[in-house]
Amino acid sequence: QVQLVESGGGSVQTGGSLRLSCATSGFTFDLYSMLWVRQAPGKGLEWVSSINRHGDSKKYIDSVKGRFTISRDNAKNTLSLQMNNLKPEDTAVYYCVRARGSLTPEGQGTQVTVSS
């Protein structure tokens, strides 16, 4: 059974930092590129960042470049997202997703709220 469990969200003020984690099981983690996607209140899913299988190729949406860092630990089957200098527009539910041609979340997500 495929499981992706996100954690690490919370409420911070503008400029704060959070580190999101995604614990995975039920599939061969190192066979997949992985994504972080988010959904802000009243909006659709938005791709945020991706990392390839080996962790040596990373991509980011322009709005988070220089502030967010994606990483993975294939030995522990975990995905992380370090988020620094958070802004109110980063407020959303964040999901980790396997790269499989869809942004549809596979876990429950973790809420990030940034207040000004």
Side-chain angles (χ1 to χ4, degrees):
Q1 180 182 0
V2 172
Q3 288 191 319
L4 294 92
V5 180
E6 303 90 344
S7 62
S11 297
V12 297
Q13 292 187 328
T14 298
S17 297
L18 287 170
R19 185 176 181 84
L20 306 185
S21 295
C22 175
T24 75
S25 61
F27 65 98
T28 305
F29 182 70
D30 61 9
L31 291 184
Y32 287 85
S33 294
M34 296 294 295
L35 319 175
W36 283 101
V37 303
R38 65 187 178 186
Q39 187 165 27
K43 296 188 177 181
L45 290 168
E46 177 180 54
W47 168 80
V48 175
S49 181
S50 58
I51 187 168
N52 70 348
R53 293 169 51 192
H54 306 293
D56 56 1
S57 177
K58 305 174 184 181
K59 298 180 181 179
Y60 302 92
I61 192 172
D62 284 348
S63 60
V64 309
K65 284 181 179 177
R67 300 189 297 120
F68 289 12
T69 302
I70 190 172
S71 61
R72 66 190 294 161
D73 186 334
N74 286 347
K76 296 181 178 179
N77 296 337
T78 59
L79 179 72
S80 298
L81 186 68
Q82 176 67 42
M83 306 187 297
N84 298 327
N85 191 23
L86 283 160
K87 303 177 180 181
E89 51 264 42
D90 296 319
T91 294
V93 179
Y94 285 72
Y95 303 90
C96 65
V97 177
R98 291 180 294 169
R100 66 204 199 289
S102 169
L103 296 182
T104 303
E106 298 179 272
Q108 83 290 349
T110 187
Q111 176 71 49
V112 171
T113 303
V114 185
S115 57
S116 58

